Amino acid sequence: MINLEPISIEGHTFLSISVELPKTNLLVVSNDKGYIMCGALDVALLNEKLKDRKVIAGRAVGVKTIAQLLDAPLESITFEAEELGITKGMVGKEALLKMI
């Protein structure tokens, strides 16, 4: 099943997406500028082979729900996210607020 829901963080609207797959869930929270995602995100691919796309993204591992994704520290981030002031270890919702 695929769930799409708008969520509000400090008055700003983001889209939460969760895809239930066998033995795993894909989790994303995004806006028109960037996103955070569960451990399925390949940050190295975005930073190396897709660098010219300048993707703003962060990855949190070990999360199973959107709520956990929002509260989890980011394990890795793209170069573009770093330029916005997003850092490794920053909590997901704090990173999203930097993407406004």
Side-chain angles (χ1 to χ4, degrees), residues 77-99:
I77 57 172
T78 62
F79 297 141
E80 293 299 315
E82 193 169 15
E83 287 187 19
L84 284 181
I86 297 168
T87 58
K88 290 180 186 178
M90 180 178 282
V91 172
K93 61 181 128 187
E94 292 175 21
L96 288 168
L97 290 171
K98 295 236 180 224
M99 296 179 197

Side-chain angles (χ1 to χ4, degrees), residues 54-70:
K54 299 184 178 193
V55 175
I56 298 169
R59 170 185 160 170
V61 295
V63 297
K64 296 181 180 174
T65 67
I66 293 294
Q68 289 177 353
L69 178 59
L70 293 172

Side-chain angles (χ1 to χ4, degrees), residues 13-96:
T13 302
F14 296 87
L15 179 63
S16 71
I17 305 160
S18 83
V19 181
E20 296 175 18
L21 298 170
K23 301 182 184 180
T24 194
N25 293 326
L26 296 178
L27 305 167
V28 181
V29 179
S30 69
N31 67 2
D32 61 347
K33 196 169 188 178
Y35 59 93
I36 60 172
M37 189 172 172
C38 64
L41 178 63
D42 188 345
V43 172
L45 175 73
L46 296 176
N47 280 340
E48 295 164 15
K49 298 193 183 221
L50 303 177
K51 185 177 181 179
D52 60 318
R53 295 186 188 184
K54 299 184 178 193
V55 175
I56 298 169
R59 170 185 160 170
V61 295
V63 297
K64 296 181 180 174
T65 67
I66 293 294
Q68 289 177 353
L69 178 59
L70 293 172
D71 291 332
L74 297 180
E75 176 266 345
S76 55
I77 57 172
T78 62
F79 297 141
E80 293 299 315
E82 193 169 15
E83 287 187 19
L84 284 181
I86 297 168
T87 58
K88 290 180 186 178
M90 180 178 282
V91 172
K93 61 181 128 187
E94 292 175 21
L96 288 168

